[in-house]
Amino acid sequence: MTKFIQLHLLTAFPAGNLNRDDVGAPKTVVFGGATRLRISSQSLKRAWRTSDIVEKEVGDFLGTRTVRAGTEAANVMIKNGADQDSAIKFGEQVANQLGKAKKENKTKEKESPFIRTETEQLVHLSPRELDNIAELAKRKASGHEVTDKDLAAILTSENMAVDIAMFGRMLASSPKENVEAACQVAHAIGVSASVVEDDFFTAVDDLKQLSNEDAGAGHLGETAFGSAIFYSYICIDYELLLKNLNGDEELARKAVRAFAQAAMEVPPTGKQNSFATRAYASWVLAEKGEAQPRSLAAAFCRPIYGENMLSDAIERVETFRDNMNSVYGQTIPSKSFNVLTNSGSMESVLNFITE
């Protein structure tokens, strides 16, 4: 395999609210002087790493993002016969090893003392690291000493989780255990200008309707939504991924294949029960080689309008890619599929990027 794997996708999402901002409206961005719908990279990565596709292929090598690693340590101690106070104290030690333990808020009534076993920030841990925590907790519960050196050995690069290897992690308390992300994911943006709309809805009270006393709605509400064809871009540094996974090429290939398929098939979960905004990618271009990676988002700097937006978007981005390669004198090996013309296949693209 070669150094860089790039994926370009066009996915048409109908009415929905896949990724909300602080007021509950779909996220947006101004690009080319027009407001576009946007799906954040964080939202996309979360959807992929928790998908059934990734779970099936590399589930035993997926990490856990949590503030409660210390809480789990305390629970393991209690299950193994330790008293609550000593368990909480040890859980706090674990939390401080992984980051900074939370402090109890004396003004809050009924706040659990286990709050001290949580970290201030999310910590991404591999299965091996979670096992290390559990083993230390059992040792502590049995009366054996757990030293600072033992706690420092919780974090390890051995048997690294594929999602940590792909998307990286930063630990301010243990910078030597930081992992540089091998996969970069752009925010998906609409290829056209979009307007965020509001849906006013009512809900009927079934029993009230039966009583004939009041014909009014049982609930009134409003939710924001929008629709767009999204351009998505992903870049994977395969050499760095292989390094992060300690040279395990079979696992690296599985990870690339699983996450690429998830990117094609799995949308974020936001408001799915309200809108069922399910869609597969309609067009995918995969590229690989040593050439410096580049997004093709500039193909949509001028918003697309009209009745054939999807076919126009495909033509626009393919032309832009060809022109880019011509101007820079590049020949980048590629493979694609196009649902509109029934050309290519997902399987051929996945085989191409992992062969």
Side-chain angles (χ1 to χ4, degrees):
M1 294 182 66
T2 46
K3 182 171 176 59
F4 294 112
I5 298 169
Q6 299 179 84
L7 289 173
H8 311 267
L9 305 92
L10 290 172
T11 309
F13 285 115
N17 189 346
L18 294 170
N19 189 206
R20 287 167 276 180
D21 62 16
D22 57 334
V23 297
K27 289 185 176 181
T28 60
V29 63
V30 175
F31 181 62
T35 299
R36 322 290 184 94
L37 292 186
R38 173 174 65 93
I39 303 174
S40 72
S41 59
Q42 296 93 327
S43 177
L44 293 168
K45 289 184 285 188
R46 170 69 181 174
W48 303 338
R49 65 180 286 270
T50 59
S51 68
D52 291 341
I53 293 170
V54 170
E55 172 66 28
K56 178 181 178 182
E57 293 299 320
V58 292
D60 292 338
F61 301 94
L62 285 176
T64 300
R65 296 181 70 205
T66 183
V67 298
R68 297 185 174 181
T71 309
E72 287 300 301
N75 288 333
V76 170
M77 282 192 65
I78 292 172
K79 288 178 182 178
N80 284 269
D83 63 88
Q84 180 173 296
D85 288 343
S86 60
I88 290 174
K89 184 177 180 181
F90 180 70
E92 187 175 1
Q93 286 181 277
V94 171
N96 278 319
Q97 180 62 43
L98 300 177
K100 183 178 180 182
K102 291 181 180 179
K103 302 298 182 183
E104 288 185 83
N105 188 338
K106 302 299 183 181
T107 63
K108 284 188 178 180
E109 295 183 10
K110 299 180 180 179
E111 184 175 61
S112 170
F114 283 89
I115 193 71
R116 305 201 314 269
T117 65
E118 297 183 7
T119 53
E120 293 283 356
Q121 303 292 333
L122 285 167
V123 182
H124 205 164
L125 300 169
S126 70
R128 168 60 67 86
E129 290 164 338
L130 289 173
D131 287 343
N132 290 344
I133 292 172
E135 289 170 8
L136 290 180
K138 291 176 183 177
R139 188 195 307 178
K140 184 73 173 177
S142 65
H144 291 83
E145 182 183 9
V146 175
T147 66
D148 290 342
K149 184 178 180 180
D150 293 328
L151 290 170
I154 288 174
L155 298 171
T156 176
S157 60
E158 295 180 10
N159 293 354
M160 181 54 66
V162 294
D163 45 349
I164 296 176
M166 290 281 278
F167 304 132
R169 74 174 175 191
M170 187 182 73
L171 298 166
S173 61
S174 303
K176 69 182 181 66
E177 299 299 339
N178 287 349
V179 178
E180 183 180 355
C183 178
Q184 300 168 345
V185 180
H187 291 229
I189 61 170
V191 303
S192 62
S194 295
V195 175
V196 175
E197 302 179 69
D198 291 314
D199 176 36
F200 173 77
F201 64 90
T202 65
V204 176
D205 185 320
D206 294 334
L207 295 182
K208 184 185 288 188
Q209 287 291 105
L210 292 174
S211 70
N212 294 320
E213 295 176 5
D214 186 351
H219 174 74
L220 305 177
E222 191 173 309
T223 187
F225 70 96
S227 65
I229 298 168
F230 286 89
Y231 168 75
S232 305
Y233 172 69
I234 303 163
C235 175
I236 301 172
D237 184 334
Y238 184 76
E239 291 181 3
L240 179 56
L241 177 62
L242 198 57
K243 177 184 174 183
N244 288 348
L245 292 175
N246 301 302
D248 191 334
E249 188 150 3
E250 181 182 0
L251 183 57
R253 289 174 185 269
K254 283 185 177 181
V256 169
R257 188 181 186 92
F259 278 96
Q261 183 177 347
M264 298 173 196
E265 295 185 4
V266 180
T269 57
K271 288 285 187 178
Q272 287 288 8
N273 288 343
S274 299
F275 292 99
T277 318
R278 303 286 184 178
Y280 286 5
S282 297
W283 173 88
V284 171
L285 167 70
E287 300 175 303
K288 66 180 185 181
E290 299 289 340
Q292 182 66 22
R294 77 283 181 269
S295 166
L296 300 176
F300 308 109
C301 194
R302 177 170 55 85
I304 290 179
Y305 297 94
E307 297 178 354
N308 301 310
M309 292 179 62
L310 182 54
S311 58
D312 290 348
I314 293 171
E315 181 180 358
R316 178 93 67 88
V317 71
E318 288 182 338
T319 300
F320 185 81
R321 185 273 309 265
D322 292 343
N323 291 347
M324 181 78 74
N325 289 348
S326 176
V327 168
Y328 282 91
Q330 295 177 325
T331 301
I332 303 176
S334 65
K335 183 75 71 172
S336 65
F337 69 73
N338 184 339
V339 173
L340 290 188
T341 59
N342 192 23
S343 58
S345 69
M346 181 185 73
E347 188 70 15
S348 66
V349 169
L350 294 177
N351 289 340
F352 169 75
I353 63 176
T354 55
E355 66 189 10

